[in-house]
Amino acid sequence: MSSLKGSQAQKPRLSVFSKGPLEIPSPTEADWPKDDEKDFVFKDMDQELDSLPQPYRMINKLVNRLFDRSWEIIEERDSLREVERSWIVPIIYPPAAEIRLDKMPGGMAVSQDYLFIGGPKGFSIYNLHNCKKIYVLEKLKVDVISIWATDLGNDVLIVPVDEMGIVRLFYLCKDSLYLIKAINEMDDTSKQSTCVKMEVSQSGDYAAFLFQGAGDVWLEVYKLPKEIWLKESEHPQLALSQKKKPKQLQLNTPDSAVTEHTETNLGPSVSPNSIQDLNISFRSDLKLSPPVFVMKIKPPKPIAGTTFKSPLEVFAKVEDYFGIGSGQNHFIKDVQWEQHMEIFYTSYKKHLEGEWEEEPLSMATFHFFYTNSLTTTPMDVKSSSGVACVLGIHWTGSHNFFLYSLNKTPKDKTDYENVWPCAAPIVMSQTSSFSSYLALVCDDGVLILWDLAQGFLFGVIALPEGCFCQSIHFLRFFLVHEGQNVYPDYPVKFEVMCVVLCTNASLHLVTASGTEGPTSRVLVDRPVMHLEEAIYAVAPVPALPGMVLIFSRNHSVSLMDVAKAEIICAFSAPTCRQQAMPWKPLFVVSPHHPCFLLHGVHPHGHTTPTTDDPKNTTDSVFYFNFEDYLLLKDISKKCTISQKCLGYSQDFSQMLPAEKRCEQFLQRSFQKVAKNQMKGRDQWSRLRKYSILLQKETLKR
């Protein structure tokens, strides 16, 4: 029916009329007159409607338009019903536990068996396994708006940022909590800077903070003496007996504490069952060593004219050669620069007539790397494995990715040791665990993948036209064995997987293997009709191989298997859906345990879940444990597989060590040689038979 209607809408309605009067034909076919095309005329039936007088002609057009639109709606509903019939409704799991809060949390962080939630005047510490509150710190002047936590062996480094932009370092060791230092707190509020972004190395040896203030932006890098912190916390007399003590940092209560410089390595492990029995206390009497300042990095200066008069003067007075061929360290005369700007303004005058907007401050994205091959390491510097040694950074609108060595002292000159130029400005960068892999995303949709440990470029891939990267997340490499995703229990090299969420809400899986180059596969297409189903955020689940959490704008949370591009299940939590504001999910996924936590708004009593009154709602954090659900329990417990179980199948040959792969290659080569020898013997025997037959035929002649 729909196809018939469509054909009628596309083709004009024609009828054939004879010019003369119609006659009854003779019963004998021989007497029938021959048809002449000139005797017939074609008329459009719609022409008769067009000849109608007003207002009937307008009424006819409106009726036809209404009919066409109604038919389109019917076809759309029919197609939607067909799609819904093919849908498989996933299993929806409720949360395992709920944490009631007084107000919206100021960020969440997970480290080891602890959950840290920012709140009024401080933060709270919970047991991750049973969601019981262990300790509450409410000694700050203002509320905490974001919080980070990093493992330092068996201890934890806690880094909250308050509403004033002040970042502090707290150290949790066993049953004691110490304040190490407020990095950017100033007595003069007019000189107060704001922490915009921060990053702590995965090993906990270094921390970098991006500050903004007085119309300027800069990056400060500190070395964290975690081993000294551990010694000072275990032996308080060492810290108390110090002669020179730094000025104490005051909070808004007399119980405030100061802490300083340190590096840590492991104390006795704490079992999850004993965490709830801990009685954490805030130690204001003990001052730990502060972090050591390493360097301060500012954005690259814009290109400007130079006072040098000749190239010889440039070579004579410039000592550094860094940045050659990368667009850095240009030396252009003022006259040449003025001529260049004049030509530019003349060419684009019509586009520059409007008022100039003030350019925003340049922001930085930075990462810690653990390989010495990226920069030149001095001979007298000893670097240990697993310790960050390089800082990579790129600034807003810059084509270059700068690399700074961390093996410096504050007296050393702050210069980058290496620079990687890109063809387009870098808009995003991401690293995998312990920075083994690096992804650089340019503003033209090009994705560059690097293996930093081996110094190997996987390749460059361009996202589909119209797709621009919104976020990128690396996945731990997994295999599909007997229909289940598993992690190999041996080191895997030259294999990378990452999921890319684009600005049009489409989701892609990018993979690269050895020298084959990266490939892209669409996991979720961009929504066309139902925009509320658009993906807002994506988060990998380390405890489940090949699984990612998908947070949609309609407040739904689902778990996807990227190998099959299928939704495994969904998770629900009571949520007050405010239609006026888009949903920005606040969540955290545990890197070591099979669980994640999600912030939601719980309505009071019989309040409808669509209410917009904040007085009738309560903020909560919902806890989802994958092992509590039968569908995911086996996956989380059987997530690894040994090399023996995989055997030497060709499907997994690329995952084996180099020695095994060489052995398999030689064995296959020997097998091919034996097969070729057999084929050669067969061909030789046939050739001999044919030659004997030809000789006999020749003798007969």
Side-chain angles (χ1 to χ4, degrees):
M1 181 66 180
S2 60
S3 61
L4 178 60
K5 192 268 173 187
S7 62
Q8 290 178 352
Q10 294 176 1
K11 297 181 181 180
R13 295 175 292 178
L14 300 177
S15 299
V16 183
F17 298 94
S18 176
K19 291 183 178 181
L22 298 177
E23 298 179 356
I24 300 175
S26 173
T28 305
E29 184 177 357
D31 297 335
W32 289 356
K34 295 182 178 179
D35 295 337
D36 191 356
E37 295 181 358
K38 298 179 180 180
D39 298 334
F40 295 91
V41 63
F42 293 89
K43 291 185 178 181
D44 187 356
M45 297 293 293
D46 293 335
Q47 290 181 355
E48 297 181 1
L49 299 177
D50 293 340
S51 62
L52 292 174
Q54 291 288 12
Y56 302 105
R57 188 164 64 238
M58 179 61 68
I59 295 173
N60 177 73
K61 290 183 179 181
L62 292 176
V63 171
N64 289 338
R65 175 61 180 168
L66 179 62
F67 177 78
D68 293 340
R69 180 56 186 158
S70 301
W71 194 267
E72 291 176 0
I73 295 174
I74 293 172
E75 289 181 336
E76 180 181 343
R77 290 179 179 178
D78 288 341
S79 60
L80 182 60
R81 287 172 184 170
E82 291 295 332
V83 173
E84 290 178 350
R85 288 171 189 162
S86 61
W87 282 354
I88 300 177
V89 180
I91 301 175
I92 301 177
Y93 292 115
E98 179 183 357
I99 301 175
R100 293 291 182 94
L101 304 175
D102 296 333
K103 60 182 299 185
M104 183 175 179
M108 296 188 294
V110 172
S111 179
Q112 297 183 8
D113 298 312
Y114 299 99
L115 168 66
F116 304 92
I117 300 179
K121 311 299 182 181
F123 57 89
S124 305
I125 305 176
Y126 291 83
N127 183 353
L128 182 61
H129 299 276
N130 56 19
C131 297
K132 290 185 177 181
K133 186 183 296 184
I134 303 175
Y135 181 77
V136 179
L137 176 72
E138 295 180 342
K139 297 179 179 297
L140 306 183
K141 297 179 181 179
V142 292
D143 298 347
V144 170
I145 59 173
S146 61
I147 188 170
W148 288 265
T150 303
D151 295 350
L152 302 180
N154 284 342
D155 305 326
V156 182
L157 177 67
I158 310 165
V159 188
V161 179
D162 61 23
E163 291 180 334
M164 299 296 293
I166 300 175
V167 55
R168 295 178 174 88
L169 303 182
F170 288 87
Y171 180 61
L172 177 61
C173 180
K174 297 180 181 179
D175 58 350
S176 299
L177 180 65
Y178 307 89
L179 171 65
I180 299 174
K181 185 179 181 180
I183 301 295
N184 59 328
E185 189 174 25
M186 302 287 291
D187 296 333
D188 188 357
T189 56
S190 61
K191 300 180 180 180
Q192 181 67 53
S193 60
T194 303
C195 180
V196 180
K197 190 182 298 185
M198 62 152 293
E199 185 78 21
V200 179
S201 64
Q202 194 161 348
S203 57
D205 296 284
Y206 291 90
F209 307 94
L210 183 65
F211 294 115
Q212 178 180 342
D216 196 7
V217 62
W218 67 94
L219 184 70
E220 293 184 7
V221 184
Y222 292 85
K223 182 175 176 58
L224 306 178
K226 58 181 184 180
E227 294 178 355
I228 301 177
W229 289 341
L230 180 60
K231 293 179 181 179
E232 292 176 343
S233 60
E234 290 183 347
H235 306 283
Q237 63 276 9
L238 296 178
L240 295 175
S241 62
Q242 293 178 355
K243 295 182 179 180
K244 295 183 179 181
K245 296 181 181 181
K247 183 180 179 181
Q248 186 172 355
L249 296 174
Q250 296 294 333
L251 299 173
N252 65 333
T253 64
D255 296 333
S256 61
V258 188
T259 39
E260 308 173 345
H261 187 82
T262 317
E263 282 192 15
T264 342
N265 208 359
L266 314 181
S269 61
V270 181
S271 62
N273 296 329
S274 63
I275 290 179
Q276 57 182 330
D277 301 329
L278 289 178
N279 185 16
I280 298 178
S281 61
F282 182 71
R283 298 289 302 273
S284 60
D285 58 332
L286 183 61
K287 300 176 177 60
L288 302 184
S289 301
V292 179
F293 177 79
V294 177
M295 58 182 168
K296 181 179 180 180
I297 304 173
K298 290 188 176 182
K301 296 180 180 180
I303 300 176
T306 180
T307 58
F308 293 133
K309 299 180 180 179
S310 65
L312 296 178
E313 188 178 356
V314 174
F315 294 133
K317 294 185 178 181
V318 176
E319 298 178 358
D320 298 333
Y321 60 91
F322 298 110
I324 293 179
S326 63
Q328 301 297 312
N329 290 356
H330 282 298
F331 295 98
I332 303 175
K333 284 187 176 182
D334 292 332
V335 177
Q336 294 176 331
W337 190 252
E338 292 175 0
Q339 292 176 353
H340 175 76
M341 295 300 294
E342 184 179 355
I343 295 173
F344 177 81
Y345 283 114
T346 304
S347 302
Y348 299 97
K349 182 179 180 180
K350 61 179 181 180
H351 302 287
L352 303 175
E353 292 179 354
E355 296 182 358
W356 285 90
E357 296 182 359
E358 185 179 354
E359 295 185 1
L361 291 176
S362 179
M363 292 298 161
T365 304
F366 40 94
H367 311 279
F368 289 99
F369 301 127
Y370 301 83
T371 174
N372 289 323
S373 59
L374 300 177
T375 59
T376 303
T377 305
M379 297 296 294
D380 57 342
V381 175
K382 295 182 180 180
S383 60
S384 57
S385 60
V387 178
C389 55
V390 177
L391 177 69
I393 180 173
H394 68 86
W395 298 87
T396 304
S398 174
H399 292 245
N400 302 313
F401 190 77
F402 300 98
L403 299 172
Y404 294 83
S405 175
L406 297 175
N407 299 314
K408 290 183 176 182
T409 62
K411 297 180 180 180
D412 295 336
K413 189 176 181 180
T414 305
D415 280 330
Y416 50 86
E417 275 68 30
N418 203 346
V419 57
W420 293 355
C422 295
I426 304 173
V427 295
M428 189 178 300
S429 61
Q430 188 59 268
T431 59
S432 63
S433 59
F434 276 99
S435 303
S436 301
Y437 305 124
L438 170 67
L440 298 177
V441 184
C442 300
D443 65 353
D444 55 357
V446 171
L447 183 65
I448 308 170
L449 295 175
W450 280 93
D451 184 348
L452 299 180
Q454 305 296 329
F456 178 78
L457 176 64
F458 282 108
V460 179
I461 185 172
L463 297 173
E465 186 177 358
C467 295
F468 299 95
C469 183
Q470 177 179 335
S471 66
I472 180 171
H473 303 275
F474 280 94
L475 300 179
R476 181 181 170 186
F477 186 81
F478 67 93
L479 299 171
V480 181
H481 181 66
E482 297 181 354
Q484 184 175 346
N485 300 343
V486 291
Y487 290 130
D489 64 349
Y490 49 87
V492 178
K493 298 181 180 180
F494 306 111
E495 300 287 345
V496 63
M497 289 183 176
C498 56
V499 288
V500 179
L501 177 62
C502 297
T503 53
N504 62 356
S506 63
L507 188 64
H508 303 258
L509 176 65
V510 177
T511 60
S513 176
T515 58
E516 295 180 1
T519 59
S520 178
R521 179 166 64 95
V522 178
L523 298 176
V524 180
D525 288 318
R526 65 182 183 90
V528 178
M529 298 170 53
H530 305 281
L531 299 180
E532 70 278 1
E533 297 179 358
I535 301 175
Y536 182 86
V538 177
V541 182
L544 302 177
M547 305 289 180
V548 295
L549 287 171
I550 296 179
F551 300 84
S552 303
R553 297 185 183 275
N554 59 357
H555 297 247
S556 64
V557 183
S558 56
L559 183 68
M560 169 177 279
D561 183 355
V562 300
K564 303 176 182 177
E566 295 179 356
I567 299 297
I568 302 299
C569 62
F571 305 94
S572 66
T575 304
C576 177
R577 303 188 179 183
Q578 299 181 1
Q579 303 296 334
M581 298 178 61
W583 185 46
K584 296 182 179 180
L586 175 61
F587 63 92
V588 60
V589 182
S590 174
H592 305 297
H593 301 288
C595 65
F596 79 98
L597 298 104
L598 174 66
H599 166 253
V601 181
H602 198 295
H604 281 317
H606 300 286
T607 307
T608 58
T610 58
T611 181
D612 294 335
D613 189 1
K615 297 181 180 180
N616 297 326
T617 59
T618 301
D619 287 271
S620 299
V621 173
F622 299 98
Y623 172 75
F624 297 88
N625 187 359
F626 300 127
E627 293 185 349
D628 291 342
Y629 313 124
L630 295 177
L631 183 63
L632 306 176
K633 186 175 182 179
D634 294 336
I635 299 177
S636 62
K637 290 187 175 181
K638 300 177 182 179
C639 61
T640 59
I641 189 170
S642 62
Q643 184 177 332
K644 295 181 180 180
C645 296
L646 290 176
Y648 303 113
S649 173
Q650 292 184 2
D651 297 336
F652 308 106
S653 61
Q654 71 274 15
M655 310 309 308
L656 300 176
E659 295 79 3
K660 294 294 183 181
R661 281 184 283 170
C662 293
E663 182 180 352
Q664 290 186 9
F665 177 76
L666 290 175
Q667 291 178 356
R668 289 195 295 267
S669 300
F670 291 149
Q671 293 175 1
K672 289 181 179 180
V673 171
K675 291 180 180 179
N676 292 335
Q677 290 178 352
M678 293 296 295
K679 290 181 180 179
R681 292 175 184 175
D682 295 339
Q683 293 175 357
W684 180 254
S685 61
R686 287 197 299 268
L687 182 60
R688 288 187 61 191
K689 291 179 181 179
Y690 185 68
S691 61
I692 293 173
L693 180 61
L694 290 177
Q695 289 179 1
K696 291 181 179 179
E697 293 293 334
T698 304
L699 293 176
K700 289 180 180 179
R701 295 178 183 176

